[in-house]
Amino acid sequence: MAAKHCIASFVDMESMKCTIYTPTVYAKQSLHFGTQRYNNQFCSLSMNGCQGDPRAPIGTIETRTFPAVRTPALATDYLNSAILDMKSNPPPFDSGIIRLEVPIQQRIEALDWLRSQSHNLLPRCFFSGRNPSNVSCIENGHSSNEHHHKLVSVAGIGSAVFFRHLHPFSLDDWCAIKRFLSKKCPLIRAYGAIRFNAKADIASEWEAFGSFYFTVPQVEFDEFEGSSMIAATVAWDSALSWTYGKAVSSVQATMWQVSSVVKRLNKDAPQAIVLSQTHIPNKISWDSAVRRALDMINRKNSMLIKVVLARSSRVLTTVDIDPLMWLSCLQIEGDNAYAFCLQPPESPAFIGNTPERLFYRDRLSISSDALAGTRARGGSKSLDIQIGNDLLSSPKDHHEFTVVREYIRRKLETVCSSILIEPEKALRKLPRVQHLYAQLTGTLEKEDDEFKILSSLHPTPAVCGFPTKEARVLIAETEMFDRGLYAGPVGWFGGGESEFAVGIRSALVGKDVGALIYAGTGIVEGSNAALEWQELELKTSQFTKLMKLAPLLTRGENRIAVQKG
């Protein structure tokens, strides 16, 4: 079976020829190792790319694509065979990353595949773009630049290489990630997220994520429009004591745990019964925080125009919540939104379904969203139009929206040769809510400005406030919980593309934390604390509808009604 190579290598490319790769096909049962032998040794996060030299060239970056097969089981067998061949044919490089991929001639939902993997020790990730992105089409095992398939969603387990640190995300960290990526291998991507405030103390529930966390999955399932693909990625760097042999053995251990039987999810999940629900802040403290914010905004000579205050709601239920089941329900709930899940090993899962794009970059082209102002959807077409028109004509919401849009425009102008805003102001309608919306597009002067865009756009006034410095100070003084990755950038870096959403409409779900559900609302001149609290309830309703209250709670006898601070 031949595999076509796509190679990006920092060696003499004239001397490196594309070879025909013909692995021996073995049945999975013929692999002579068991999961027990490898679990303790290889279920770690493998190699932290942040510990290497961020500017040292990687030896080789390759994608090897095999002919398409009919089923996930066949694709899994071919991957196992190819990995065995890799072990006996090591490349002559001290560092590198190689992706093996097998197309599948049927569309299978990536989230179904991920939930069919029963092990919980391995890191997991999932990302579904708001709009499917074009990638090179695989036809008869060969990549074609002339045809494209739309990539719908990506699921991954294990970690070929990860990037995590306690210090704020820096240019060196960005370079460390980009070191393992190449335009010639567009599906080798690093998925992850960055904290809202990297300078704030990290609460225990967020410790596994550090200040940022990105991973290139070891085993990945890609869902396209009309087809699928399963891939295995091997990454190594001897300078980090993670040799080629260790990397191959690690991916073998992960592949041994992969189930090729994909069960379709029942998306009508039974509602979990809520035992307790705790808001931080509670309603009384929220009213006080809003009054304080308005006092500062209205103070003479105050620079503060807007601040976004958030709420954390901890929910404990009778049974553990399955984060992937919740995510599948959120996808139905929030059409045309980004869905994501990030879960380091032995950690809660950060999940969400956010409508807000921070930016999307394709080579030199870049686009970003301005989103602000919120109203509920109407129960009828006429009522929905009436509510939308009220949002469009509201001076308070127009002011809040204009602050966000102009902030993004000014940031893009620092690195773009031209900026287009279209539409300048429109309604973005989602299943439960509607927002004011604008799209901004521009052309970067150079692709390396990607880091500048990320670091300058985040945090936008939509999740922090304006001016940023003053809003950050007030948030730090007011909020008595750790936002963690909530409202931070969540997405992926690729060789020629990258895409990040804003991690709102999100929750942290795990055995030790229950569910921590986050929501925020913008406070500007004219804001009303009671209405802003209702907006918080509206924004979290996509989660709360997945649960039902225990009898005691329906009578108002909440078992836990405390707040921090």
Side-chain angles (χ1 to χ4, degrees):
M1 164 167 289
K4 172 129 181 188
H5 288 213
C6 172
I7 303 176
S9 181
F10 294 91
V11 295
D12 182 4
M13 294 304 294
E14 293 299 320
S15 65
M16 176 169 285
K17 307 219 181 256
C18 290
T19 59
I20 300 298
Y21 188 68
T22 311
T24 308
V25 178
Y26 296 89
K28 184 173 182 178
Q29 289 76 6
S30 69
L31 305 181
H32 300 296
F33 52 86
T35 57
Q36 185 175 1
R37 174 185 169 190
Y38 286 86
N39 275 346
N40 293 334
Q41 186 177 0
F42 290 116
C43 280
S44 67
L45 275 174
S46 67
M47 172 176 62
N48 187 346
C50 290
Q51 295 174 352
D53 183 347
R55 289 167 178 80
I58 210 80
T60 184
I61 304 176
E62 304 179 31
T63 295
R64 301 174 183 177
T65 305
F66 296 84
V69 297
R70 294 193 305 273
T71 67
L74 286 173
T76 302
D77 284 344
Y78 284 143
L79 278 185
N80 280 319
S81 302
I83 293 167
L84 281 177
D85 280 1
M86 286 183 70
K87 199 162 192 176
S88 59
N89 294 284
F93 303 106
D94 290 331
S95 63
I97 184 167
I98 300 175
R99 172 185 164 103
L100 310 174
E101 56 186 35
V102 182
I104 302 169
Q105 295 168 333
Q106 58 174 308
R107 179 172 177 177
I108 297 169
E109 292 190 23
L111 196 54
D112 285 347
W113 177 86
L114 186 58
R115 194 157 184 267
S116 298
Q117 313 308 316
S118 58
H119 42 74
N120 296 316
L121 292 177
L122 292 170
R124 302 188 292 185
C125 68
F126 176 85
F127 189 83
S128 179
R130 195 176 66 191
N131 298 305
S133 58
N134 286 319
V135 297
S136 295
C137 172
I138 307 301
E139 293 184 353
N140 300 319
H142 298 283
S143 297
S144 169
N145 293 324
E146 298 177 359
H147 304 88
H148 293 83
H149 277 179
K150 288 186 177 292
L151 181 60
V152 177
S153 57
V154 173
I157 61 171
S159 182
V161 55
F162 75 100
F163 307 87
R164 181 179 61 186
H165 213 289
L166 294 178
H167 65 225
F169 189 69
S170 67
L171 178 61
D172 278 351
D173 298 317
W174 177 78
C175 290
I177 294 173
K178 299 294 282 189
R179 178 174 176 244
F180 287 87
L181 308 177
S182 168
K183 292 178 185 177
K184 295 184 179 181
C185 301
L187 288 181
I188 298 179
R189 296 174 173 178
Y191 296 89
I194 301 171
R195 282 175 60 82
F196 170 77
N197 184 0
K199 296 181 180 180
D201 292 338
I202 301 176
S204 59
E205 65 267 21
W206 290 107
E207 283 179 352
F209 296 90
S211 284
F212 58 89
Y213 171 76
F214 287 89
T215 178
V216 177
Q218 269 186 326
V219 181
E220 182 180 305
F221 195 92
D222 299 331
E223 176 189 350
F224 296 90
E225 290 186 343
S227 64
S228 310
M229 178 185 289
I230 188 168
T233 300
V234 175
W236 73 99
D237 188 344
S238 297
L240 296 177
S241 300
W242 189 253
T243 64
Y244 177 81
K246 285 183 179 179
V248 174
S249 295
S250 179
V251 78
Q252 275 185 312
T254 301
M255 282 296 299
W256 184 247
Q257 300 177 69
V258 169
S259 171
S260 58
V261 178
V262 180
K263 300 176 182 178
R264 190 163 182 81
L265 281 171
N266 174 16
K267 297 189 178 180
D268 296 323
Q271 289 181 309
I273 297 176
V274 176
L275 293 176
S276 64
Q277 180 172 322
T278 311
H279 297 308
I280 303 176
N282 63 18
K283 182 64 167 61
I284 295 173
S285 297
W286 172 261
D287 291 346
S288 175
V290 172
R291 283 196 302 270
R292 183 185 179 207
L294 289 173
D295 286 344
M296 294 191 66
I297 290 170
N298 295 322
R299 190 177 299 166
K300 186 177 180 180
N301 299 324
S302 172
M303 295 182 64
L304 187 64
I305 297 174
K306 173 186 177 180
V307 64
V308 178
L309 298 180
R311 185 184 76 182
S312 169
S313 301
R314 183 185 291 271
V315 177
L316 298 179
T317 57
T318 51
V319 295
D320 290 333
I321 296 167
D322 181 350
L324 299 182
M325 179 61 76
W326 264 25
L327 189 60
S328 67
C329 296
L330 294 177
Q331 279 190 294
I332 298 173
E333 178 74 17
D335 190 27
N336 198 21
Y338 295 94
F340 59 86
C341 172
L342 282 174
Q343 187 172 23
E346 301 183 48
S347 163
F350 180 53
I351 65 170
N353 197 71
T354 172
E356 187 170 352
R357 168 184 285 171
L358 185 64
F359 74 88
Y360 168 67
R361 180 186 70 84
D362 184 359
R363 274 65 174 181
L364 291 175
S365 176
I366 193 163
S367 62
S368 181
D369 288 356
L371 207 67
T374 305
R375 293 288 190 281
R377 296 297 302 271
S380 65
K381 184 176 180 180
S382 59
L383 180 58
D384 195 54
I385 293 173
Q386 180 182 336
I387 294 173
N389 288 336
D390 175 69
L391 179 58
L392 283 168
S393 60
S394 163
K396 177 258 183 187
D397 291 292
H398 175 75
H399 174 55
E400 182 181 349
F401 170 72
T402 303
V403 168
V404 175
R405 185 188 63 196
E406 293 307 299
Y407 171 90
I408 296 173
R409 179 185 61 81
R410 287 192 297 270
K411 293 296 183 181
L412 290 179
E413 283 179 343
T414 62
V415 291
C416 291
S417 56
S418 60
I419 300 294
L420 175 66
I421 305 178
E422 181 63 38
E424 290 194 354
K425 181 181 176 182
L427 290 175
R428 177 88 186 279
K429 291 181 179 287
L430 301 167
R432 287 177 177 262
V433 296
Q434 48 192 319
H435 304 284
L436 296 176
Y437 163 78
Q439 184 179 67
L440 300 88
T441 57
T443 303
L444 293 173
E445 295 178 359
K446 58 182 184 297
E447 291 188 36
D448 285 351
D449 285 335
E450 176 182 72
F451 175 76
K452 291 182 181 179
I453 285 291
L454 177 60
S455 57
S456 63
L457 281 181
H458 172 71
T460 72
V463 294
C464 179
F466 186 81
T468 303
K469 182 179 178 181
E470 285 75 10
R472 274 187 183 274
V473 170
L474 183 56
I475 290 171
E477 292 174 351
T478 304
E479 292 182 0
M480 296 294 109
F481 65 93
D482 180 13
R483 289 194 182 190
L485 301 183
Y486 163 70
V490 56
W492 53 271
F493 291 109
E497 297 176 86
S498 56
E499 184 166 26
F500 281 85
V502 181
I504 57 175
R505 315 294 155 84
S506 54
L508 190 66
V509 181
K511 290 182 179 180
D512 296 329
V513 300
L516 288 166
I517 304 171
Y518 301 92
T521 181
I523 309 301
V524 297
E525 184 178 359
S527 290
N528 178 282
L531 294 179
E532 302 299 342
W533 184 268
Q534 290 178 19
E535 184 173 320
L536 295 176
E537 295 289 293
L538 181 62
K539 288 176 175 177
T540 58
S541 63
Q542 64 175 346
F543 289 100
T544 56
K545 81 177 186 68
L546 303 176
M547 301 175 285
K548 58 183 177 182
L549 297 178
L552 283 175
L553 293 184
T554 59
R555 296 198 297 270
E557 300 175 22
N558 197 332
R559 285 176 54 187
I560 301 178
V562 298
Q563 67 166 14
K564 182 180 176 183

